[in-house]
Amino acid sequence: MKVIVSRSGGTAGIRLTWEVRVEEQPDPNTWAEFLNSLPWDDVTDSEATPDRFAYRIRCAPHEVVLAEPQVNGPWRDLVNRVRAANGM
Amino acid sequence: MTKTRGCNVGGRCQTLHMDTRELHTTCTIVPPYLLVRLAKLDDPRFAQAAAAARASLLRDSQIRQLRGGAHPFPYSGARTLPARTPGESDRTISDAGGQERLPGRRVRAEGQPAGTDPATNEAYDGLGATQNLFWTQFGRDSIDGNGLPMDATVHYGKQYDNAFWDGERMVFGDGDGQVFTRFTISPSVIGHELTHGVTQFTANLTYQGQSGALNESISDVFGALVEQHVKNQSTADASWLIGEGLFTDQVEGVALRSMKAPGTAYNDDVLGKDPQPDTMAGYVETEDDNGGVHLNSGIPNRAFYLVADALGGNAWETPGHIWYETLTGGALASTSDFVAFAAATADTAARLYGNGGAAHDAVMRAWATVGVVAAIPSPLPQQPAPPPPPSRPGVPRPPE
Ligand SMILES: [Zn+2]
């Protein structure tokens, strides 16, 4: 099981991707529980606005695209955890 | 599973339809571009004409506001009756203190002296440089053309790697310190973000596919012009880089983008290579970044550079005027694609500087070089006159 967060856009237009392999984490069960608890099916489309980030989050079978203002609550938590696991 | 947005990548299905809005040029005797030229004359002999032209431009912009000015986003900056001289900056800088809440604490208002925080000072100066370019060169008073106060927030978020225009204000992050330093450091980035506001109030190009890449490119064009104008650099002297100085010295790269040579701004282990194409042959089809708006903008960016390079001198003069009049003149639809934009800039150049003149020629050639329009035979305007038919006795010659 793995989760991939890809951030595109921003005024720099540079895409950065962070990946976490759940099995390789010190706390794989916590990760799996957390990933299963995310509101994957509740994401709605949002209008594009200049220079904001867009986040594509993949965790098979799920894939969502979130505009930056939508990255709140558990999604925010996910992005922070995935980045932290990648050391940035 | 939630599907990703249906991206209209490329925006190629759009056709150009002329906007039905009445062109403002029809109701004034002196066309706006000429008023702009008059309004910026510094020679004291023309002081009166310049003052009159400024007043006329002001009226005109107010009329434009009354007529059409659609405000795609609500904004709270509308002022009541003015004690303000048109063209004067009205800046307010706020400090988010590392939070993601706007606007933050007010730290510097118009006319207050510089403090010790570089981000605040750079934002204040960059807003001033942007207002200065648009007012003195194009007769545009602030983002909306009607003196909208310019508001900015610095120190937004923690290690926030971005700057943006949120529909009402500029927002600047401090960067993460590893890849990016603070986003106020580059005048071209400040000009870029404010120009998103100008576009919002004018052509309002949809931020997706080709119209989105045009929206991005216009921000780069005027961002570069803000920087060149404040540094008084000609086309030959300028770097044509967007976001120079934004990378830390740990990054192999000079800037976010190069308008002169798209695709060459960085080549780094972490960031990869600058992915911008410089011709249509490299056009990037992607669902990310709203259809690659920050990538494909390299194509129209280079077209602008090629026009400036062909004409020489200061890019904010003839090339800037052609782009500014195209953006604000009402001929663009919000869904205009590269071909429509190329045609509109060529029309503007012909109208302002003469059909078949050097500016018109430079614009046509630039769009051909980047592959947006078909290559044009060289030389363009001067077809050699056909040789006169041989005269034979008894055959009447056509009248000369
Ligand atoms: Zn932008």
Side-chain angles (χ1 to χ4, degrees), chain B residues 170-184:
Chain B
M170 310 274 331
V171 182
F172 297 98
D174 290 331
D176 55 63
Q178 292 178 21
V179 174
F180 291 108
T181 182
R182 61 181 186 275
F183 277 70
T184 50

Side-chain angles (χ1 to χ4, degrees), chain B residues 16 44 88 101 107 121 137 216 225 235 264 289 320 361 367 375:
Chain B
L16 175 67
E88 267 181 7
R101 264 179 247 124
V107 288
N121 296 336
Q137 302 307 311
E216 267 306 304
L225 294 183
T235 287
T264 66
D289 188 27
D361 185 45
W367 290 114

Side-chain angles (χ1 to χ4, degrees), chain B residues 10-22:
Chain B
R12 292 221 173 105
C13 56
Q14 306 300 343
T15 53
L16 175 67
H17 52 89
M18 290 297 289
D19 199 320
T20 50
R21 271 178 298 167
E22 190 183 347

Side-chain angles (χ1 to χ4, degrees), chain B residues 114-130:
Chain B
T116 54
D117 175 37
T120 301
N121 296 336
E122 287 160 357
Y124 185 89
D125 292 345
L127 264 55
T130 306

Side-chain angles (χ1 to χ4, degrees), chain A residues 51, chain B residues 192 196 207 216 294:
Chain A
D51 294 340
Chain B
H192 175 109
H196 278 308
Y207 204 67
E216 267 306 304
H294 291 90

Side-chain angles (χ1 to χ4, degrees), chain A residues 11 15 40-41 51 63 68, chain B residues 2 160 162 193 288 294:
Chain A
T11 195
R15 188 173 62 189
W40 295 101
D41 296 328
D51 294 340
E63 177 170 350
E68 190 179 342
Chain B
T2 303
Y160 186 69
N162 202 12
E193 301 310 333
D288 284 340
H294 291 90

Side-chain angles (χ1 to χ4, degrees), chain A residues 3-8 14-20 55-58 82-83 86 88, chain B residues 270-271 288:
Chain A
V3 55
I4 302 164
V5 174
S6 169
R7 188 187 76 186
S8 67
I14 291 172
R15 188 173 62 189
L16 293 177
T17 300
W18 302 277
E19 184 179 316
V20 166
Y55 289 83
R56 181 182 299 270
I57 300 171
R58 281 170 287 174
V82 169
R83 289 187 68 172
N86 281 265
M88 66 183 293
Chain B
V270 175
L271 302 180
D288 284 340

